[in-house]
Protein backbone atom coordinates (compact mmCIF):
# COMPACT_ATOMS: atom_id res chain seq x y z
CA UNK A 1 0.00 0.00 0.00
CA UNK A 2 1.31 3.46 -0.88
CA UNK A 3 0.05 5.04 2.36
CA UNK A 4 1.32 2.28 4.65
CA UNK A 5 3.42 3.46 7.59
CA UNK A 6 6.04 1.57 9.50
CA UNK A 7 6.36 3.20 12.94
CA UNK A 8 9.60 2.68 14.83
CA UNK A 9 10.33 2.83 18.57
CA UNK A 10 13.79 3.52 19.98
CA UNK A 11 14.58 3.54 23.70
CA UNK A 12 16.82 6.51 24.50
CA UNK A 13 17.21 6.29 28.25
CA UNK A 14 16.18 3.64 30.74
CA UNK A 15 16.24 4.03 34.53
CA UNK A 16 14.58 1.99 37.29
CA UNK A 17 11.48 4.22 37.32
CA UNK A 18 11.82 6.37 34.19
CA UNK A 19 12.59 6.01 30.50
CA UNK A 20 12.65 8.10 27.34
CA UNK A 21 11.96 6.78 23.88
CA UNK A 22 11.33 7.98 20.33
CA UNK A 23 8.25 7.15 18.29
CA UNK A 24 8.70 7.90 14.60
CA UNK A 25 6.86 7.23 11.38
CA UNK A 26 3.32 7.76 12.68
CA UNK A 27 0.93 10.58 13.59
CA UNK A 28 -0.38 12.17 16.77
CA UNK A 29 -3.45 9.92 16.97
CA UNK A 30 -1.30 6.80 17.37
CA UNK A 31 1.03 8.56 19.82
CA UNK A 32 -1.90 9.64 21.98
CA UNK A 33 -3.46 6.17 21.77
CA UNK A 34 -0.20 4.65 23.01
CA UNK A 35 -0.06 7.17 25.84
CA UNK A 36 -3.63 6.43 26.95
CA UNK A 37 -3.03 2.67 26.83
CA UNK A 38 0.04 3.03 29.06
CA UNK A 39 -1.98 5.02 31.61
CA UNK A 40 -5.28 3.16 31.65
CA UNK A 41 -5.09 -0.26 29.99
CA UNK A 42 -1.82 -1.97 30.98
CA UNK A 43 -2.77 -4.29 33.87
CA UNK A 44 -1.08 -4.37 37.25
CA UNK A 45 -1.74 -6.02 40.61
CA UNK A 46 -3.05 -4.03 43.56
CA UNK A 47 -4.78 -4.73 46.87
CA UNK A 48 -8.52 -4.83 46.27
CA UNK A 49 -10.06 -6.47 49.36
CA UNK A 50 -9.00 -6.00 52.99
CA UNK A 51 -10.21 -7.96 56.03
CA UNK A 52 -9.32 -6.18 59.26
CA UNK A 53 -8.86 -8.55 62.19
CA UNK A 54 -7.54 -6.09 64.80
CA UNK A 55 -7.20 -2.33 64.46
CA UNK A 56 -6.54 -0.28 67.58
CA UNK A 57 -4.72 2.49 65.70
CA UNK A 58 -6.02 6.04 65.31
CA UNK A 59 -7.06 5.42 61.69
CA UNK A 60 -10.40 3.93 60.66
CA UNK A 61 -10.52 0.60 58.81
CA UNK A 62 -11.61 2.27 55.58
CA UNK A 63 -8.72 4.74 55.73
CA UNK A 64 -6.19 1.93 56.12
CA UNK A 65 -7.80 -0.10 53.33
CA UNK A 66 -7.58 2.88 51.00
CA UNK A 67 -3.89 3.38 51.80
CA UNK A 68 -3.16 -0.30 51.21
CA UNK A 69 -4.77 -0.17 47.79
CA UNK A 70 -2.50 2.67 46.70
CA UNK A 71 0.73 0.84 47.60
CA UNK A 72 2.36 -0.30 44.32
CA UNK A 73 3.07 -4.01 44.03
CA UNK A 74 5.47 -5.65 41.59
CA UNK A 75 3.33 -6.80 38.66
CA UNK A 76 5.64 -8.56 36.24
CA UNK A 77 3.17 -11.43 35.77
CA UNK A 78 0.05 -9.26 35.54
CA UNK A 79 -0.20 -9.72 31.76
CA UNK A 80 -0.54 -13.51 32.11
CA UNK A 81 -2.56 -13.48 35.33
CA UNK A 82 -6.30 -14.14 35.10
CA UNK A 83 -8.80 -11.36 35.69
CA UNK A 84 -11.15 -12.07 38.65
CA UNK A 85 -14.24 -11.65 36.51
CA UNK A 86 -12.93 -14.14 33.92
CA UNK A 87 -11.50 -16.75 36.30
CA UNK A 88 -13.32 -20.07 36.06
CA UNK A 89 -11.33 -21.65 38.91
CA UNK A 90 -13.08 -19.61 41.62
CA UNK A 91 -16.28 -18.59 39.77
CA UNK A 92 -15.32 -14.91 39.88
CA UNK A 93 -14.87 -14.77 43.65
CA UNK A 94 -11.26 -13.70 43.18
CA UNK A 95 -9.90 -15.99 45.87
CA UNK A 96 -7.71 -18.48 44.02
CA UNK A 97 -4.04 -18.63 43.11
CA UNK A 98 -4.81 -18.00 39.43
CA UNK A 99 -6.36 -14.55 39.88
CA UNK A 100 -5.36 -13.28 43.34
CA UNK A 101 -2.58 -13.13 45.91
CA UNK A 102 -3.07 -13.09 49.67
CA UNK A 103 -1.06 -10.52 51.62
CA UNK A 104 -0.83 -10.34 55.40
CA UNK A 105 0.10 -7.64 57.89
CA UNK A 106 0.90 -8.27 61.54
CA UNK A 107 2.18 -5.27 63.51
CA UNK A 108 2.02 -4.41 67.20
CA UNK A 109 3.81 -1.88 69.37
CA UNK A 110 4.81 -3.83 72.48
CA UNK A 111 7.19 -1.21 73.84
CA UNK A 112 6.40 0.26 77.21
CA UNK A 113 7.81 3.72 76.57
CA UNK A 114 6.64 6.46 74.22
CA UNK A 115 8.24 4.90 71.17
CA UNK A 116 6.13 5.26 68.00
CA UNK A 117 6.15 2.30 65.62
CA UNK A 118 5.97 3.10 61.89
CA UNK A 119 4.03 0.45 59.98
CA UNK A 120 5.10 0.61 56.33
CA UNK A 121 4.78 -1.35 53.11
CA UNK A 122 7.89 -3.28 54.16
CA UNK A 123 5.72 -4.96 56.81
CA UNK A 124 3.41 -6.50 54.20
CA UNK A 125 4.01 -10.24 53.85
CA UNK A 126 3.29 -11.87 50.50
CA UNK A 127 3.89 -15.61 49.91
CA UNK A 128 4.27 -14.94 46.18
CA UNK A 129 7.82 -13.71 45.42
CA UNK A 130 6.63 -12.10 42.17
CA UNK A 131 4.08 -9.90 43.97
CA UNK A 132 5.84 -7.80 46.59
CA UNK A 133 5.71 -4.13 47.69
CA UNK A 134 7.87 -2.04 45.36
CA UNK A 135 11.40 -1.45 46.62
CA UNK A 136 12.48 2.15 46.00
CA UNK A 137 16.12 1.59 47.02
CA UNK A 138 17.52 2.15 43.47
CA UNK A 139 16.22 5.73 43.61
CA UNK A 140 17.91 6.43 46.94
CA UNK A 141 21.54 7.10 47.76
CA UNK A 142 23.73 4.17 48.72
CA UNK A 143 23.75 5.37 52.32
CA UNK A 144 19.95 5.44 52.52
CA UNK A 145 17.60 2.52 53.01
CA UNK A 146 14.09 2.20 51.68
CA UNK A 147 11.86 2.16 54.75
CA UNK A 148 8.73 1.71 52.67
CA UNK A 149 5.52 3.68 52.34
CA UNK A 150 4.00 4.60 55.70
CA UNK A 151 0.61 3.00 56.35
CA UNK A 152 -0.02 3.98 59.97
CA UNK A 153 1.83 4.87 63.18
CA UNK A 154 1.21 2.80 66.28
CA UNK A 155 1.55 4.01 69.85
CA UNK A 156 2.52 1.61 72.66
CA UNK A 157 -0.18 -1.01 73.10
CA UNK A 158 -1.75 -0.49 69.67
CA UNK A 159 -1.98 -3.29 67.11
CA UNK A 160 -2.91 -3.86 63.48
CA UNK A 161 -3.65 -7.27 61.98
CA UNK A 162 -5.23 -7.78 58.58
CA UNK A 163 -5.52 -9.99 55.52
CA UNK A 164 -5.62 -8.47 52.05
CA UNK A 165 -6.32 -9.86 48.59
CA UNK A 166 -4.46 -8.38 45.63
CA UNK A 167 -6.04 -8.68 42.18
CA UNK A 168 -5.32 -7.82 38.60
CA UNK A 169 -6.86 -4.65 37.19
CA UNK A 170 -6.33 -1.64 34.94
CA UNK A 171 -6.34 2.11 35.37
CA UNK A 172 -9.80 2.22 33.77
CA UNK A 173 -11.15 0.37 36.80
CA UNK A 174 -9.32 2.44 39.43
CA UNK A 175 -6.27 4.69 39.57
CA UNK A 176 -4.54 2.28 41.98
CA UNK A 177 -4.06 -0.14 39.06
CA UNK A 178 -2.41 2.44 36.81
CA UNK A 179 1.30 1.62 36.38
CA UNK A 180 2.13 5.10 35.10
CA UNK A 181 2.93 8.06 37.32
CA UNK A 182 3.47 10.34 34.31
CA UNK A 183 3.37 9.76 30.56
CA UNK A 184 4.04 12.75 28.30
CA UNK A 185 5.10 13.22 24.72
CA UNK A 186 6.16 16.21 22.63
CA UNK A 187 6.55 16.63 18.92
CA UNK A 188 10.18 16.98 17.96
CA UNK A 189 10.79 20.55 16.72
CA UNK A 190 12.38 21.34 13.37
CA UNK A 191 14.37 24.59 13.68
CA UNK A 192 15.66 26.64 10.71
CA UNK A 193 17.85 29.71 11.10
CA UNK A 194 18.31 32.28 8.34
CA UNK A 195 22.10 32.61 8.48
CA UNK A 196 22.20 35.70 6.21
CA UNK A 197 19.84 37.66 8.44
CA UNK A 198 21.55 36.35 11.59
CA UNK A 199 24.96 37.69 10.44
CA UNK A 200 23.56 41.22 10.47
CA UNK A 201 22.94 41.05 14.23
CA UNK A 202 25.56 42.07 16.74
CA UNK A 203 26.97 39.69 19.35
CA UNK A 204 24.88 41.30 22.11
CA UNK A 205 21.73 41.03 20.03
CA UNK A 206 22.39 37.34 19.41
CA UNK A 207 22.84 36.76 23.15
CA UNK A 208 19.62 38.62 23.88
CA UNK A 209 17.82 36.54 21.27
CA UNK A 210 19.14 33.30 22.80
CA UNK A 211 18.04 34.40 26.29
CA UNK A 212 14.51 35.08 25.03
CA UNK A 213 13.97 31.30 24.97
CA UNK A 214 13.49 30.21 28.63
CA UNK A 215 14.45 26.58 27.97
CA UNK A 216 17.96 27.46 26.73
CA UNK A 217 17.40 25.88 23.36
CA UNK A 218 19.74 28.40 21.72
CA UNK A 219 23.19 29.71 22.50
CA UNK A 220 26.01 31.82 21.10
CA UNK A 221 29.59 30.69 20.50
CA UNK A 222 31.79 33.26 22.24
CA UNK A 223 34.76 32.59 19.93
CA UNK A 224 33.04 32.70 16.55
CA UNK A 225 29.94 34.71 17.53
CA UNK A 226 27.73 32.17 15.76
CA UNK A 227 24.14 31.67 16.86
CA UNK A 228 23.64 27.96 17.64
CA UNK A 229 20.85 25.51 18.33
CA UNK A 230 22.18 23.93 21.54
CA UNK A 231 19.35 21.57 22.49
CA UNK A 232 16.43 21.43 20.04
CA UNK A 233 14.48 18.94 22.17
CA UNK A 234 14.43 21.38 25.10
CA UNK A 235 12.17 23.72 23.12
CA UNK A 236 8.62 23.65 24.51
CA UNK A 237 6.86 25.79 21.89
CA UNK A 238 6.65 28.85 24.15
CA UNK A 239 7.28 31.09 21.07
CA UNK A 240 9.44 33.48 23.12
CA UNK A 241 12.20 33.60 20.53
CA UNK A 242 9.69 34.01 17.70
CA UNK A 243 8.04 36.95 19.45
CA UNK A 244 11.45 38.55 19.88
CA UNK A 245 12.00 38.26 16.12
CA UNK A 246 8.63 39.91 15.52
CA UNK A 247 9.47 42.73 17.93
CA UNK A 248 12.67 43.38 15.98
CA UNK A 249 10.71 43.25 12.71
CA UNK A 250 12.75 40.27 11.51
CA UNK A 251 10.18 37.73 10.31
CA UNK A 252 11.76 34.54 9.03
CA UNK A 253 14.94 34.94 11.10
CA UNK A 254 14.05 31.74 12.97
CA UNK A 255 11.40 29.26 11.85
CA UNK A 256 10.22 26.49 14.15
CA UNK A 257 7.82 23.79 13.02
CA UNK A 258 6.88 20.55 14.78
CA UNK A 259 7.67 17.31 12.99
CA UNK A 260 4.29 15.71 12.46
CA UNK A 261 5.64 12.14 12.51
CA UNK A 262 8.22 12.28 15.31
CA UNK A 263 7.47 12.17 19.05
CA UNK A 264 9.60 12.00 22.18
CA UNK A 265 7.99 10.21 25.13
CA UNK A 266 8.88 10.49 28.81
CA UNK A 267 7.49 7.67 30.96
CA UNK A 268 7.60 7.53 34.76
CA UNK A 269 6.16 4.50 36.53
CA UNK A 270 5.01 3.74 40.06
CA UNK A 271 7.47 0.84 40.16
CA UNK A 272 4.85 -1.85 39.58
CA UNK A 273 6.29 -2.41 36.10
CA UNK A 274 9.66 -1.39 34.72
CA UNK A 275 9.35 1.57 32.32
CA UNK A 276 10.61 -0.25 29.23
CA UNK A 277 8.30 -3.19 29.99
CA UNK A 278 5.37 -0.79 30.32
CA UNK A 279 6.09 0.47 26.80
CA UNK A 280 6.29 -3.07 25.40
CA UNK A 281 3.09 -4.16 27.16
CA UNK A 282 1.27 -1.08 25.88
CA UNK A 283 2.39 -1.81 22.32
CA UNK A 284 1.11 -5.39 22.60
CA UNK A 285 -2.26 -4.21 23.92
CA UNK A 286 -2.57 -1.52 21.25
CA UNK A 287 -1.75 -4.07 18.56
CA UNK A 288 -4.41 -6.44 19.92
CA UNK A 289 -6.99 -3.66 19.96
CA UNK A 290 -6.22 -2.84 16.32
CA UNK A 291 -6.50 -6.52 15.38
CA UNK A 292 -9.88 -6.73 17.13
CA UNK A 293 -11.01 -3.69 15.16
CA UNK A 294 -9.74 -5.01 11.85
CA UNK A 295 -10.82 -8.66 11.89
CA UNK A 296 -14.60 -8.12 12.34
CA UNK A 297 -14.55 -5.70 9.39
CA UNK A 298 -13.09 -8.44 7.19
CA UNK A 299 -15.83 -10.83 8.26
CA UNK A 300 -18.56 -8.27 7.48
CA UNK A 301 -17.08 -7.61 4.03
CA UNK A 302 -17.03 -11.31 3.23
CA UNK A 303 -20.67 -11.69 4.26
CA UNK A 304 -21.83 -8.74 2.17
CA UNK A 305 -19.98 -10.00 -0.90
CA UNK A 306 -21.50 -13.44 -0.43
CA UNK A 307 -25.04 -11.98 -0.33
CA UNK A 308 -24.44 -9.87 -3.42
CA UNK A 309 -23.10 -12.79 -5.39
Amino acid sequence: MSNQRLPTVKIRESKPFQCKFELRGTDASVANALRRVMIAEVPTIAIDLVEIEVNSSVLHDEFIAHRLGLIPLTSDRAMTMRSPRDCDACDGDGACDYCSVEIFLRAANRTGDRHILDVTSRDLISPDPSVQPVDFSPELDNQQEDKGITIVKLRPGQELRLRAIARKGTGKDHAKWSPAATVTFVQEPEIHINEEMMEKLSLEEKKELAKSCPTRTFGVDEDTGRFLVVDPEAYNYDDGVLKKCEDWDLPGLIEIRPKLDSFIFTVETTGAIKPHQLVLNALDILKQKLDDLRLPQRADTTTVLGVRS
Side-chain angles (χ1 to χ4, degrees):
M1 295 177 62
S2 59
N3 61 346
Q4 184 178 7
R5 293 186 175 186
L6 298 175
T8 59
V9 175
K10 178 182 178 182
I11 301 290
R12 279 192 176 185
E13 178 184 351
S14 182
K15 297 180 180 179
F17 295 94
Q18 181 183 18
C19 78
K20 272 190 175 183
F21 69 92
E22 303 171 1
L23 176 64
R24 302 183 186 275
T26 186
D27 55 23
S29 63
V30 175
N32 193 48
L34 179 61
R35 172 184 169 272
R36 294 174 68 91
V37 168
M38 282 191 281
I39 294 174
E41 299 195 43
V42 174
T44 62
I45 301 171
I47 292 176
D48 193 31
L49 293 177
V50 179
E51 296 179 0
I52 305 289
E53 298 177 13
V54 177
N55 179 21
S56 56
S57 69
V58 296
L59 297 183
H60 298 294
D61 294 353
E62 294 82 0
F63 206 126
I64 293 176
H66 181 261
R67 285 191 170 188
L68 290 171
L70 295 178
I71 293 175
L73 305 176
T74 54
S75 306
D76 294 334
R77 70 181 185 95
M79 290 286 286
T80 58
M81 192 175 179
R82 296 181 185 178
S83 176
R85 64 176 67 93
D86 300 327
C87 183
D88 54 1
C90 60
D91 297 329
D93 294 335
C96 70
D97 295 337
Y98 295 104
C99 66
S100 63
V101 177
E102 283 188 329
I103 298 177
F104 301 92
L105 176 61
R106 303 284 188 269
N109 190 345
R110 303 300 186 187
T111 59
D113 53 11
R114 297 183 179 180
H115 174 71
I116 302 298
L117 176 65
D118 292 337
V119 181
T120 70
S121 57
R122 299 291 295 268
D123 296 312
L124 295 173
I125 302 173
S126 171
D128 190 338
S130 65
V131 180
Q132 299 288 333
V134 173
D135 183 9
F136 295 98
S137 297
E139 288 292 286
L140 302 174
D141 298 333
N142 295 331
Q143 299 178 354
Q144 292 180 312
E145 180 185 359
D146 177 29
K147 298 181 180 179
I149 300 172
T150 301
I151 300 172
V152 67
K153 295 178 182 288
L154 298 180
R155 292 180 177 179
Q158 293 181 342
E159 185 178 3
L160 178 63
R161 295 204 311 265
L162 58 88
R163 168 181 171 269
I165 297 179
R167 293 174 170 175
K168 173 182 177 179
T170 63
K172 292 194 300 184
D173 302 323
H174 193 282
K176 67 183 178 183
W177 277 298
S178 178
T182 302
V183 179
T184 61
F185 71 85
V186 294
Q187 289 178 299
E188 189 175 358
E190 190 173 3
I191 303 174
H192 296 280
I193 299 175
N194 191 319
E195 297 293 347
E196 294 183 1
M197 298 176 65
M198 188 63 68
E199 288 298 326
K200 298 178 181 179
L201 299 181
S202 65
L203 181 61
E204 295 301 324
E205 288 175 330
K206 293 179 182 178
K207 290 182 179 181
E208 184 179 353
L209 183 62
K211 291 180 180 179
S212 64
C213 183
T215 56
R216 297 183 179 179
T217 304
F218 306 96
V220 179
D221 191 330
E222 293 287 349
D223 298 330
T224 62
R226 187 178 179 184
F227 189 84
L228 304 173
V229 180
V230 179
D231 187 4
E233 295 178 7
Y235 186 73
N236 61 0
Y237 299 96
D238 55 87
D239 294 338
V241 68
L242 299 180
K243 292 178 181 178
K244 179 63 93 172
C245 294
E246 293 178 0
D247 295 340
W248 289 354
D249 196 19
L250 294 173
L253 177 61
I254 299 178
E255 295 181 355
I256 303 176
R257 294 186 297 271
K259 294 181 181 179
L260 301 180
D261 63 345
S262 180
F263 307 90
I264 302 173
F265 277 76
T266 301
V267 179
E268 296 182 13
T269 69
T270 61
I273 302 177
K274 294 181 176 61
H276 70 275
Q277 190 62 48
L278 173 58
V279 177
L280 295 176
N281 290 353
L283 290 172
D284 289 340
I285 293 174
L286 182 58
K287 180 181 177 182
Q288 183 61 47
K289 292 169 72 71
L290 293 175
D291 288 341
D292 294 342
L293 182 65
R294 175 175 56 88
L295 294 177
Q297 290 182 346
R298 283 187 175 182
D300 294 343
T301 303
T302 303
T303 303
V304 172
L305 291 176
V307 173
R308 289 181 178 177
S309 60

